């Protein structure tokens, strides 16, 4: 329910949607200019509430607007008691119109009464395969009993007859010409040619005609055990004008057989690929498409039986009772009875099955429109539970009137549409037309200068629709030549929702709403509140801090996103009494390590650059005074705050080995200290001895070349160390020597020097 009050054009989308949704469901509203209970900062949506809440807030009962569901009975003919040669009425009403609010259920009553003497059409459909020979003989003698049983039910009964075997193609039937003409055993004189389905006799009330036609029937035959019973039932269901089904009658198909049935897909065995089209194909009383179309599926058959209000009775032998019991579960309003070996009990079977079918009333619906729900609650002596697909009353006597409470709910706004409710197996129907109430039912004055809108707007269902050039909740803001979009944009943070959906944009500034607790949202865009911080143990900020704009500000001695932890670093301290090795921070008594460093103490770093590689240049300048950092080594290498030159390393110590800028190998050891980039270094001093040898080699090499003793240089395999900057000093003035060294010895050539080379 909604207490109608002015909204203005800049209300946030969230507020408008909330108001609309509430109004469409259970809320009422009252006019804004009458309701003065809305406090400063409260959202206009508070005027949408239950009737009791609105009255408690101060709204007048007479000013509360609450659209109600409306039902109109369009057609309501009275129920018939007996059948008197006219269209009997067993279901009431016959047509109803509903106008409902989305989400608000509406319930109406439907009544049903079984008419005494209601007509019955019984179509006897018999399997005439060879195994049913003795049954056929008995059925020929049962015509009088069948009609007598039917007259015990109604004075307006009719019986028809049809027969079936199977498709006349391999592998279902022997296609030898002689066998097609006489598919029975050789000693069987009266045998008719193979056939699929034959309609023998249309529905008639003449007993003599029934006896005559049935007596002319003979047995036939096929090869496999399953029969084409579904083919026959489909044709009997859809060929209504040929079978003779009446509009007002209980329609029964009695299927008698001692075998199972073929169904959709079995036709592929005979290369029949065309699906069953559920159409009538009877010519000269024969199913002419039997060998061209596949068998129907159980679903197809069930649909056509229900659409044509036909109730099947499966009169089958004990051997196949289980098969047809399973079939009964898939075909609504059907019964199964067990035939005796010679079918002598078929009349009693039909009588008992009919009484079970006719005394059970199932109310259901056809396809429902989208977003519409229906539930049925039966009101009768033997009613089933309420259900959303059907309602069932059992053991309903003739002339007994029963009721169903039908509840219809539309889940959202929709255009006018209709659906059908019907008792299963009976032609009577109830047409339900449904539409939704999705607009306010307001009686607003036609006034473009309403006082509540400051004379610059019109009140429409409690909101001001401002005249051009004016905006605001009550049209009190004159925008003049200013751009309306720019005003609205100034109330949006990063192009988001106006005032974060927590306030109203008034002349380009956010006026924040109040929260349910009484406090207001705040901030330039109403982005802040002090009631939605993280909780710990169901307390805001764990009870150890205060919520400020969605974040917890913890009291002294507490920390954590919800102030859930006492400050302590006991579990963060390492063996040398540091906290997280200086590579992280201790929060809630646990180390939160810098990127790459691993808990629990941030000691090691997975994925960090190799310190042996990153500190190579510093080792070279600190240990040997060479390399790129030689001129500003102290400044560039502050991260290595101590280093020592050693003559050897213990075998157990892990060392780094890197080439320096002159191509010589350096060996050193780094130890990371407290913090991220703090190291101490030990450097092997032996690199210096190698350099002395290289200098002597270079001088000797130069002297030999200057004397042009090329053969001696080649024979001694002298390596000139042409890449080394120190050697390059000796080659700087000997261009031809530099070129000669470079062409004979690649930079990484291993030197094998003679012992007397330096003598």
């Amino acid at each position: 329910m909604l207490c109608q009050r002015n909204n203005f054009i800049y209300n946030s989308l969230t507020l408008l949607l909330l108001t609309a949704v509430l109004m469409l469901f259970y809320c009422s509203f009252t006019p804004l200019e009458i309701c003065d209970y809305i406090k400063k900062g409260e959202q206009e949506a508070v005027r949408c509430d239950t009737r009791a809440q609105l009255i408690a807030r101060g709204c007048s009962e007479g000013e509360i607007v609450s659209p109600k569901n409306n039902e109109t009975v369009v057609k309501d003919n009275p129920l018939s008691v007996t059948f008197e040669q006219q269209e009997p009425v067993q279901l009431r009403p016959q047509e109803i119109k509903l106008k409902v609010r989305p989400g608000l259920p509406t319930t109406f009553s439907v009544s049903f009464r079984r008419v005494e003497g209601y007509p019955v059409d019984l179509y006897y459909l018999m399997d005439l395969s060879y195994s049913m020979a003795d049954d056929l003989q008995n059925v020929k003698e049962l015509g009088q009993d069948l009609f007598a049983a039917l007259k015990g039910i109604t004075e307006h009964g009719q019986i028809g007859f049809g027969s079936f075997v199977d498709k006349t193609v391999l592998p279902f039937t022997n296609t030898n010409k002689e066998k097609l003409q006489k598919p029975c055993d050789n000693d069987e004189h009266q045998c008719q040619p193979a056939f699929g389905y034959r309609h023998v006799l249309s529905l008639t009330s003449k007993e003599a005609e029934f006896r005559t036609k049935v007596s002319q029937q003979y047995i036939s035959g096929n090869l496999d055990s399953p029969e084409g019973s579904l083919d026959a039932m489909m044709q009997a269901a859809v060929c209504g004008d040929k079978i003779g089904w009446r509009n007002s009658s209980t329609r029964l198909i009695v299927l008698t057989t001692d075998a199972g049935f073929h169904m959709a897909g079995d036709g592929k065995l005979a290369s029949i690929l065309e699906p069953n089209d559920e159409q009538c194909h009877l010519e000269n009383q024969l199913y002419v498409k039997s060998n061209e179309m596949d068998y129907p599926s159980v679903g197809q058959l069930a649909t056509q039986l229900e659409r044509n209000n036909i109730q099947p009775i499966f009169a089958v032998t004990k051997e196949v009772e289980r098969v047809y019991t399973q079939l009964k579960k898939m075909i609504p309003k059907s019964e199964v009875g067990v035939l005796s070996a010679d079918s002598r009990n078929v009349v009693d079977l039909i009588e008992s099955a009919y009484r079970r079918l006719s005394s059970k009333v199932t109310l259901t619906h056809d396809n429902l429109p989208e977003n519409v729900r229906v539930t049925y609650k039966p009101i009768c002596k033997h009613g089933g539970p309420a259900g959303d697909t059907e309602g069932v009353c059992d053991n309903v006597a003739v002339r007994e009137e029963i009721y169903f409470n039908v509840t219809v709910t539309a889940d959202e706004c929709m255009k006018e549409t209709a659906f059908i409710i019907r008792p299963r197996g009976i032609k009577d129907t109830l047409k339900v037309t449904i539409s939704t109430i999705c607009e306010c039912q307001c009686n607003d004055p036609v006034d473009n200068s309403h006082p509540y809108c400051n004379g610059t707007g019109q009140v429409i269902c409690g909101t001001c629709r401002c005249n051009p050039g004016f905006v605001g909740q009550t049209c009190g803001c004159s925008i003049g030549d200013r751009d309306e979009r720019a005003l609205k944009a100034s109330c949006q943070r990063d192009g988001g929702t106006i005032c974060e959906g927590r306030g109203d944009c008034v002349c380009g500034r956010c006026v924040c709403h109040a929260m349910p607790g009484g406090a207001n949202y705040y901030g330039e865009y109403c982005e802040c509140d002090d009631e939605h911080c993280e909780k710990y143990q169901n307390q805001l900020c764990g009870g150890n801090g205060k919520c400020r704009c969605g974040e917890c500000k913890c009291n002294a001695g507490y920390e954590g996103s919800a102030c859930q932890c006492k400050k302590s670093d006991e579990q963060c301290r390492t063996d040398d009494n540091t906290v997280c090795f200086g590579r992280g921070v201790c929060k809630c008594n646990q180390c939160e390590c810098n990127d790459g460093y691993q808990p629990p103490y941030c000691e090691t770093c997975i994925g960090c650059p190799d310190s042996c590689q990153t500190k190579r240049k510093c080792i070279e300048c600190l240990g040997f005074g060479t390399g790129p950092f030689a001129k500003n080594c102290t400044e560039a290498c502050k991260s290595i705050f101590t280093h020592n030159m050693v003559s050897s390393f213990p075998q157990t110590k892990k060392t780094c080995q890197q080439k320096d800028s002159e191509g010589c190998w350096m060996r050193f050891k780094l130890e990371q200290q407290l913090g991220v980039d703090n190291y101490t270094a030990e450097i092997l001093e032996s690199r210096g001895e190698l350099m002395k040898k290289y200098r002597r080699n270079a001088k000797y090499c130069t002297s030999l070349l200057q004397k042009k003793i090329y053969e001696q240089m080649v024979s001694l395999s002298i390596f000139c160390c042409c890449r080394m900057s120190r050697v390059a000093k000796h080659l700087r003035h000997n261009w031809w020597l530099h070129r000669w060294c470079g062409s004979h010895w690649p930079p990484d050539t291993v030197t094998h020097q003679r012992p007397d080379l330096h003598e």
Side-chain angles (χ1 to χ4, degrees):
M1 297 181 182
L2 187 69
C3 182
Q4 185 175 359
R5 188 169 185 186
N6 270 23
N7 261 335
F8 69 104
I9 198 168
Y10 284 156
N11 272 358
S12 67
L13 178 61
T14 302
L15 174 58
L16 289 176
L17 288 176
L18 174 62
T19 303
V21 170
L22 289 173
M23 193 165 65
L24 291 178
F25 283 72
Y26 297 100
C27 60
S28 297
F29 65 91
T30 61
L32 173 67
E33 58 272 23
I34 294 173
C35 280
D36 58 359
Y37 66 84
I38 300 179
K39 300 174 184 177
K40 183 179 179 181
E42 282 190 316
Q43 301 181 49
E44 280 72 18
V46 300
R47 63 196 176 102
C48 182
D49 211 330
T50 63
R51 183 180 296 272
Q53 288 292 336
L54 290 176
I55 293 174
R57 282 174 168 264
C59 280
S60 168
E61 175 76 33
E63 296 299 334
I64 294 177
V65 180
S66 178
K68 296 180 180 179
N69 290 344
N70 176 263
E71 64 179 67
T72 304
V73 177
V74 179
K75 188 176 181 182
D76 190 23
N77 294 332
L79 298 175
S80 303
V81 178
T82 60
F83 182 75
E84 299 176 351
Q85 298 298 334
Q86 75 228 13
E87 288 291 326
V89 177
Q90 298 186 102
L91 188 70
R92 179 182 184 184
Q94 295 81 44
E95 185 175 355
I96 191 170
K97 280 192 173 183
L98 304 177
K99 198 168 183 65
V100 300
R101 295 171 68 181
L104 185 62
T106 186
T107 300
F108 57 90
S109 179
V110 176
S111 58
F112 177 87
R113 179 193 289 155
R114 285 183 62 193
V115 170
E116 185 176 13
Y118 193 70
V120 175
D121 288 340
L122 189 153
Y123 190 70
Y124 199 99
L125 190 56
M126 186 170 184
D127 176 5
L128 288 187
S129 60
Y130 189 73
S131 59
M132 294 287 288
D134 55 342
D135 300 83
L136 175 61
Q137 188 59 40
N138 288 325
V139 170
K140 291 179 180 181
E141 301 170 2
L142 290 176
Q144 183 177 352
D145 295 339
L146 279 173
F147 272 92
L150 199 57
K151 287 181 179 179
I153 297 171
T154 177
E155 290 295 325
H156 311 284
Q158 293 188 149
I159 298 179
F161 190 86
S163 58
F164 66 92
V165 183
D166 208 348
K167 297 183 184 298
T168 57
V169 291
L170 284 172
F172 312 122
T173 302
N174 191 329
T175 55
N176 181 282
K177 288 185 178 180
E178 293 181 0
K179 279 294 183 181
L180 283 174
Q181 291 300 313
K182 189 178 180 181
C184 312
D185 292 344
N186 294 330
D187 57 352
E188 182 63 50
H189 299 293
Q190 293 181 322
C191 179
Q192 63 175 314
F195 66 96
Y197 161 67
R198 174 179 284 116
H199 170 54
V200 177
L201 175 66
S202 298
L203 291 163
T204 179
S205 59
K206 298 175 182 179
E207 181 183 335
E209 187 179 3
F210 178 82
R211 283 203 307 267
T212 301
K213 287 290 185 181
V214 174
S215 64
Q216 295 172 359
Q217 300 308 302
Y218 298 104
I219 212 72
S220 186
N222 63 329
L223 289 177
D224 62 345
S225 177
E227 316 294 7
S229 49
L230 298 196
D231 260 348
M233 290 181 73
M234 176 63 79
Q235 290 302 300
V238 299
C239 298
D241 55 336
K242 292 181 172 61
I243 303 299
W245 300 114
R246 289 175 289 182
N247 286 332
S248 297
S249 66
T250 298
R251 301 175 178 181
L252 303 175
I253 289 180
V254 178
L255 179 80
T256 58
T257 182
D258 63 350
F261 51 87
H262 283 297
M263 54 185 167
D266 290 355
K268 292 181 180 179
L269 298 172
S271 299
I272 300 174
L273 305 179
E274 185 177 352
N276 194 284
D277 64 359
E278 304 177 44
Q279 300 298 315
C280 181
H281 298 289
L282 283 182
E283 294 180 14
N284 297 322
Q285 296 186 302
L286 279 174
Y287 175 33
V288 295
K289 295 283 187 178
S290 177
N291 295 342
E292 299 174 27
M293 285 188 179
D294 198 2
Y295 303 95
S297 68
V298 173
Q300 286 178 305
L301 179 61
T303 298
Q304 289 301 331
L305 289 174
E306 185 168 11
R307 183 174 297 167
N308 292 282
N309 299 312
I310 297 172
Q311 305 172 62
I313 298 174
F314 301 110
V316 298
T317 57
K318 187 68 177 177
E319 292 77 14
V320 292
E321 178 189 10
R322 184 178 177 184
V323 173
Y324 285 90
T325 300
Q326 294 298 317
L327 180 61
K328 173 182 178 293
K329 295 177 181 178
M330 293 181 278
I331 298 181
K333 207 70 171 157
S334 61
E335 284 292 333
V336 177
V338 178
L339 280 173
S340 59
D342 56 4
S343 296
R344 286 190 179 275
N345 68 332
V346 69
V347 175
D348 294 335
L349 186 154
I350 292 171
E351 276 190 290
S352 60
Y354 168 77
R355 298 192 190 282
R356 290 195 300 272
L357 287 171
S358 60
S359 65
K360 183 178 182 180
V361 179
T362 302
L363 195 67
T364 186
H365 51 256
D366 291 347
N367 295 331
L368 286 177
E370 287 188 20
N371 304 308
V372 173
R373 291 177 285 122
V374 179
T375 57
Y376 301 90
K377 183 179 179 181
I379 311 296
C380 52
K381 294 178 182 177
H382 305 283
D388 55 5
T389 57
E390 63 183 24
V392 179
C393 281
D394 213 345
N395 298 325
V396 179
V398 174
R399 293 195 177 193
E400 180 184 354
E401 189 169 352
I402 59 174
Y403 302 90
F404 297 88
N405 284 340
V406 181
T407 301
V408 179
T409 307
D411 291 326
E412 59 184 50
C413 295
M414 55 190 291
K415 294 181 179 179
E416 185 175 280
T417 186
F419 61 97
I420 299 296
I421 291 176
R422 69 173 75 236
R424 196 169 274 156
I426 298 173
K427 79 171 190 67
D428 295 69
T429 61
L430 165 59
K431 180 181 178 181
V432 181
T433 304
I434 183 172
S435 58
T436 51
I437 304 170
C438 291
E439 295 180 358
C440 302
Q441 298 174 349
C442 306
N443 297 318
D444 296 314
V446 182
D447 184 3
N448 290 331
S449 56
H450 196 281
Y452 194 81
C453 300
N454 287 302
T456 57
Q458 179 184 3
V459 173
I460 297 179
C461 282
T463 63
C464 279
R465 178 176 293 175
C466 301
N467 297 336
F470 294 90
V471 295
Q473 181 176 351
T474 57
C475 305
C477 177
S478 175
I479 62 174
D481 296 331
R482 286 177 290 176
D483 182 16
E484 189 174 331
R485 290 187 178 181
L487 281 176
K488 187 184 293 187
S490 65
C491 293
Q492 296 173 286
R493 181 170 61 170
D494 300 327
T497 305
I498 294 174
C499 301
E500 299 293 316
R502 298 170 164 184
D504 303 321
C505 188
V506 179
C507 279
R509 293 181 63 84
C510 286
V511 177
C512 301
H513 294 152
M515 292 179 285
N520 276 44
Y521 294 104
Y522 62 95
E524 183 179 357
Y525 303 101
C526 304
E527 72 277 12
C528 290
D529 73 85
D530 296 339
E531 294 183 2
H532 292 87
C533 286
E534 188 175 341
K535 290 185 176 181
Y536 177 70
Q537 294 183 343
N538 206 32
Q539 287 186 294
L540 203 63
C541 299
N544 302 313
K546 294 183 178 180
C547 183
R548 292 289 182 266
C549 198
E551 292 185 2
C552 286
K553 304 298 181 182
C554 301
N555 298 337
Y558 288 90
E559 62 181 349
S561 59
C563 304
Q564 72 274 27
C565 308
K566 286 186 176 181
K567 283 188 175 180
S568 173
D569 60 6
E570 182 180 350
Q571 300 298 322
C572 298
R573 291 205 167 270
T574 64
D575 292 340
D576 57 0
N577 204 34
T578 65
V579 176
C580 305
F581 281 108
R583 299 158 199 161
V585 293
C586 188
K587 290 185 178 180
C588 286
N589 218 10
Q590 289 186 336
C591 286
E592 289 189 5
C593 301
N594 297 343
D595 289 345
Y597 287 92
Q598 303 299 302
Y601 298 112
C602 314
E603 184 174 6
T604 59
C605 181
I606 297 177
C608 290
D610 183 13
S611 58
C612 290
Q613 179 66 30
T614 59
K615 303 303 177 186
R616 173 177 58 83
K617 295 177 182 179
C618 285
I619 292 297
E620 182 178 357
C621 78
L622 289 172
F624 307 106
T626 62
F629 293 164
K631 293 183 179 180
N632 62 337
C633 190
T634 303
E635 186 66 25
C637 301
K638 288 181 179 180
S639 60
I640 303 177
F641 50 85
T642 62
H643 72 279
N644 296 314
M645 304 298 294
V646 297
S647 58
S648 64
F649 288 131
Q651 292 291 333
T652 58
K653 285 193 175 183
K654 181 180 178 181
T655 60
C656 302
Q657 183 167 303
Q658 296 287 324
K659 278 187 177 182
D660 63 12
S661 59
E662 297 176 343
C664 292
W665 291 101
M666 303 180 295
R667 294 180 66 203
F668 54 94
K669 178 180 177 295
L670 292 171
E671 285 193 9
Q672 191 173 10
Q673 304 301 309
L674 182 67
V676 177
D677 195 23
N678 297 318
Y679 294 89
T680 59
E682 291 183 350
I683 307 170
L684 192 66
E685 59 188 15
S686 58
R687 171 188 175 280
E689 294 299 319
L690 290 173
M691 286 302 301
K692 292 178 183 178
K693 293 180 181 179
Y694 283 138
R695 285 196 211 103
R696 290 199 299 270
N697 290 349
K699 290 179 181 178
Y700 184 67
C701 171
T702 302
S703 64
L704 288 175
L705 286 173
Q706 288 174 343
K707 295 177 181 179
K708 299 183 180 180
I709 311 176
Y710 304 120
E711 294 81 4
Q712 184 178 357
M713 287 181 64
V714 174
S715 64
L716 293 175
S717 300
I718 300 172
F719 176 58
C720 292
C721 297
C722 295
R723 287 183 61 197
M724 297 171 56
S725 60
R726 292 175 183 267
V727 175
K729 293 178 182 178
H730 299 281
L731 305 179
R732 195 169 294 150
H733 304 293
N734 297 280
W735 173 85
W736 57 272
L737 175 60
H738 185 280
R739 183 176 180 185
W740 190 90
C741 285
S743 63
H744 283 72
W745 284 281
D748 295 327
T749 302
V750 178
T751 304
H752 300 285
Q753 299 170 340
R754 288 180 13 162
D756 60 344
L757 185 61
H758 313 297
E759 296 301 325

